Amino acid sequence: MVMPMMNYLWGGMLVIGIVYGAITGNMHAVTDGVLTSAKEAVTLSLAMLGIVAFWSGLMEVAVEAGIMESMAKLMNPLLRFLFPRIPREHPALRSIAVNFVANILGLGWAATPAGLKAMKELAQLERERGNREYCETEGEGIHNRIASDEMCTFLVMNISSLQLIPVNVIAFRSQYGSVNPAGIIVPAIIATCINSMIAIIYCKIKEHV
């Protein structure tokens, strides 16, 4: 439902801009803008591709070396606090931990697969609990009707995640000529710390509502 609405929103903005340009006699500016933006998009994509490849490769090295596993274990106390109803040995906890660690390191693209896997495992957990109102099966997939408390908590924490190295923002700042691209690190840590604290408080309040 969200994606079609976004498509309509962006499509409407484009149409309005083109129509306005035609009415005001500025179609040349619209054309120049399209060509310039297209070139800039390709350049930015290539620059980001290199950064994504580097950090994703570094992430794989960390996984193979057992670094991610060690960091995930360090997060056990936090995970037990956030998800007290998930069994200790349930695979969802490991996927959640890997997702959190990747987000903390600023590797949002590397965190996505673990996040999707965690959601699927949380849905499976609800099936094991016998909560048919939470999820249903269709073929080999799992389709949720209602998000469980654990799913909501995971989503909120994922969105508000603490980031020690905001790789994406640094890459964008570097691409657009920032004198000090990494200057955003300290403000980003402070902002995401506050976000995470508010998210934890919010989730715990909602658990008791």
Side-chain angles (χ1 to χ4, degrees), residues 104-173:
I104 288 172
L105 296 178
L107 309 177
W109 46 81
T112 301
L116 295 175
K117 186 177 180 181
M119 278 296 189
K120 185 175 181 180
E121 288 165 346
L122 289 174
Q124 180 63 32
L125 176 61
E126 293 305 320
R127 292 185 64 217
E128 293 170 0
R129 289 171 174 170
N131 295 332
R132 302 298 300 178
E133 70 273 17
Y134 283 102
C135 54
E136 60 182 348
T137 58
E138 182 178 316
E140 297 181 355
I142 297 176
H143 301 268
N144 298 314
R145 293 175 180 170
I146 303 173
S148 65
D149 288 344
E150 287 86 1
M151 290 177 181
C152 292
T153 299
F154 174 60
L155 182 61
V156 172
M157 292 304 302
N158 198 279
I159 294 172
S160 63
S161 175
L162 167 67
Q163 285 195 11
L164 298 180
I165 309 173
V167 177
N168 285 344
V169 179
I170 292 174
F172 282 123
R173 285 167 58 86

